[in-house]
Amino acid sequence: MLYKNKRYHFIGIGGIGMSAIVRLLLNSGAKVSGSDLKKSMVTDELKSLGARIFIGHSPDNVKEADLVVYSSAIKDDNPEITETIKLKIPLIKRAQALAELMRDKKVITVTGSHGKTTTTSLASCLLFEAGLFPTVAIGGILKNINTNACLGRGDFFVAEADESDGSFLFYQPKYSIITNIDYEHLDYYKDFQNELNMFKDFLERTDKDGCIFGCDDDVNLKTLLKECSRRFVTFGLKESAHIYPKNIRLGGLTAEFDCYYKNKFVERFNIALGGLHNICNALSVIALGLELGIDLIHIKNALLNYKGAGRRLEVKLDLAGYLIIDDYAHHPTELKATLSAVKNLKAQRVIAVFQPHRYSRTKLLLDEFGESFDNADYVIVTDIYSAGEPPIEGVSGINIYEKIKKRSPDKKVIFLPKDELVPHLLKIVQSGDLVLTLGAGDIVRIGDELVEKIKGKG
């Protein structure tokens, strides 16, 4: 149980998921400390909010703690983990801490291999718009509130449920949205069947009096829903779903569509998001709104007034013909969806700059990565962001470059080390081009540096 008069210590406090919990605790008046390997904007902000921040991991950092929280990125041999166990201080995972904060709330979780952050953000906006004052914990910065966490006075708690290490089984939601199930995080699950089994267990953790919202377009998820004992509503792009769209019109980074629920027209919706995948995300939130009895005007306004989430088709620069967008896409499915979405911007050229994420993912999905860049005119692949993984012999960003080149011999495809990206982009980028930085690592800094250089030229 989490108490205000206790001291909480977070190992890896700068992580986006960890920082959300820290913000909620600080807002409730709790004492919080935490450590991370590097200083960052997140650690600086948490410090300004009252957290005690240590840069670097040391056994001394945990000695005043009453409870220690760690993320899945922290290894068992971390000195703070070792010291916590030695001192017999309670030690829990990030998801356990979040689950404790959810007590006595009506919990809405969003999970799935792709689209979690956008869908959680949309669901949060819906409840804000409806005046329900939710508590929210999101895996990205929701621009409508300029943070990834908010302590609300209402009954609802909206949370992004991370499936990467199975820790979403700590949650017991009343309502759950599952966006999809893909071949992802197999470094943890070992094989896809184990991943499916974990999702099956998660479905059964939804309250018997609640509802699951699952994607009808996902064959594996559709099968699990049919076997599930809980009530469910399906959403998707096909008319076989309970809730589906018709008369879709895709703009630049916007879309509109007629929504049908159980074959009856509901309303025409406009969303401030591009791509068919985001229509799917929006449908799940519309279904949630209908389930909660929220007025249609609030649902419409929530989708229309959504300002986006950080690193999800985030426009970094739109000036004098130069367009730079950053996106978190790091899995082949996500890359295809993002590149498909930006096609509607009708850029002169789409220049995709991709930083692979993890050696294990690169090795496992190498062929799929090679097929992910058909909608890019110019592809630049850089070094793998390890995310703490040790290198795998023979696995590098060059492997992806070679796969893309083999599939599309006539496409401009190159491999460059990260420190050469900005100079090269400054040489080749022209007015009318779209530069798209892609990846879950620190590729965002390349986009930011490019923006500053182009602004400086102007």
Side-chain angles (χ1 to χ4, degrees):
M1 190 68 181
L2 301 181
Y3 297 99
K4 291 182 183 178
N5 60 345
K6 299 289 186 182
R7 166 66 65 85
Y8 304 100
H9 181 80
F10 287 74
I11 310 174
I13 195 169
I16 193 70
M18 294 284 270
S19 67
I21 301 171
V22 172
R23 285 189 173 95
L24 294 178
L25 283 171
L26 290 171
N27 289 340
S28 69
K31 296 176 182 177
V32 179
S33 66
S35 61
D36 218 306
L37 288 175
K38 295 179 182 178
K39 182 181 177 182
S40 66
M41 288 178 61
V42 173
T43 59
D44 286 346
E45 185 181 352
L46 294 179
K47 184 177 181 179
S48 72
L49 294 173
R52 186 181 181 190
I53 303 295
F54 302 97
I55 301 303
H57 298 306
S58 166
D60 293 337
N61 295 344
V62 304
K63 288 185 176 176
E64 295 180 13
D66 296 302
L67 185 143
V68 175
V69 183
Y70 68 102
S71 76
S72 56
I74 303 301
K75 307 301 182 187
D76 292 342
D77 60 356
N78 181 283
E80 294 184 18
I81 294 277
T82 304
E83 186 70 9
T84 299
I85 294 170
K86 177 183 172 183
L87 297 176
K88 297 183 179 179
I89 299 171
L91 177 68
I92 63 174
K93 291 184 175 182
R94 178 181 66 84
Q96 288 173 280
L98 188 56
E100 289 290 343
L101 290 171
M102 291 173 174
R103 285 182 182 271
D104 304 319
K105 294 284 189 179
K106 294 178 182 176
V107 177
I108 301 167
T109 58
V110 180
T111 193
S113 301
H114 318 295
K116 291 186 294 294
T117 298
T118 296
T119 306
T120 310
S121 298
L122 286 170
S124 300
C125 285
L126 172 64
L127 270 67
F128 286 132
E129 176 68 32
L132 295 173
F133 305 103
T135 295
V136 302
I138 308 169
I141 302 299
L142 172 56
K143 293 189 175 181
N144 294 68
I145 56 175
N146 291 317
T147 184
N148 62 335
C150 174
L151 186 66
R153 66 176 187 268
D155 294 332
F156 287 94
F157 195 125
V158 184
E160 182 170 334
D162 181 15
E163 86 294 352
S164 65
D165 61 353
S167 61
F168 63 164
L169 294 183
F170 286 114
Y171 308 134
Q172 293 183 296
K174 179 152 190 182
Y175 305 99
S176 53
I177 296 173
I178 299 91
T179 56
N180 41 58
I181 308 174
D182 207 343
Y183 291 81
E184 180 68 310
H185 306 299
L186 296 187
D187 53 324
Y188 170 77
Y189 288 111
K190 305 306 178 189
D191 64 58
F192 190 54
Q193 188 57 52
N194 286 338
E195 184 180 353
L196 291 175
N197 291 341
M198 199 75 82
F199 270 93
K200 183 176 182 179
D201 291 344
F202 177 77
L203 293 177
E204 295 295 339
R205 295 187 68 79
T206 302
D207 193 291
K208 290 181 180 178
D209 296 324
C211 186
I212 297 167
F213 305 91
C215 183
D216 185 74
D217 300 330
D218 189 296
V219 176
N220 293 301
L221 178 53
K222 192 172 181 178
T223 300
L224 291 185
L225 288 170
K226 288 179 180 178
E227 298 170 352
C228 180
S229 66
R230 301 300 192 257
R231 185 167 67 88
F232 65 86
V233 171
T234 58
F235 60 90
L237 299 175
K238 302 171 186 173
E239 293 185 23
S240 56
H242 291 125
I243 188 166
Y244 58 89
K246 282 186 176 182
N247 303 318
I248 294 170
R249 190 176 74 81
L250 295 172
L253 292 179
T254 63
E256 59 181 276
F257 58 92
D258 293 334
C259 176
Y260 284 77
Y261 182 60
K262 295 184 177 178
N263 298 319
K264 292 184 179 179
F265 176 72
V266 176
E267 184 58 89
R268 186 160 183 84
F269 291 94
N270 293 266
I271 60 172
L273 286 165
L276 291 173
H277 64 299
N278 279 320
I279 289 178
C280 224
N281 293 334
L283 286 168
S284 72
V285 174
I286 296 170
L288 172 67
L290 296 175
E291 173 71 21
L292 296 179
I294 294 174
D295 287 346
L296 279 175
I297 188 63
H298 293 317
I299 302 176
K300 288 188 71 172
N301 286 341
L303 299 182
L304 184 62
N305 297 327
Y306 176 65
K307 295 179 180 178
R311 303 222 55 219
R312 274 69 180 178
L313 285 174
E314 182 176 3
V315 177
K316 292 286 188 171
L317 180 70
D318 187 359
L319 179 68
Y322 293 100
L323 182 58
I324 301 173
I325 295 177
D326 179 62
D327 195 86
Y328 191 72
H330 56 283
H331 183 283
T333 300
E334 297 165 352
L335 293 166
K336 289 177 184 177
T338 297
L339 285 163
S340 176
V342 300
K343 270 180 62 179
N344 296 296
L345 292 167
K346 297 179 169 56
Q348 178 177 302
R349 291 186 302 175
V350 175
I351 303 171
V353 186
F354 177 53
Q355 180 188 51
H357 187 261
R358 293 185 180 272
Y359 292 97
S360 57
R361 183 182 286 112
T362 302
K363 180 181 179 181
L364 183 70
L365 300 174
L366 187 57
D367 289 338
E368 289 83 354
F369 278 121
E371 299 168 357
S372 298
F373 293 89
D374 291 356
N375 283 321
D377 301 298
Y378 195 130
V379 183
I380 306 171
V381 183
T382 191
D383 302 301
I384 295 173
Y385 185 87
S386 70
E389 278 189 349
I392 297 174
E393 187 176 351
V395 177
S396 74
I398 294 174
N399 302 135
I400 295 178
Y401 151 76
E402 290 172 343
K403 287 287 184 180
I404 301 169
K405 195 65 182 172
K406 183 177 179 181
R407 177 177 174 85
S408 306
D410 297 329
K411 189 189 296 287
K412 183 68 175 179
V413 185
I414 62 172
F415 175 86
L416 283 177
K418 192 168 65 172
D419 60 358
E420 296 180 22
L421 291 175
V422 173
H424 180 76
L425 287 166
L426 288 170
K427 286 180 183 177
I428 67 164
V429 71
Q430 303 167 4
S431 179
D433 287 346
L434 161 60
V435 178
L436 184 61
T437 53
L438 298 158
D442 59 2
I443 189 69
V444 61
R445 296 177 186 174
I446 300 301
D448 290 341
E449 185 180 342
L450 182 63
V451 167
E452 292 307 311
K453 297 282 188 184
I454 289 175
K455 283 182 177 178
K457 284 169 62 177

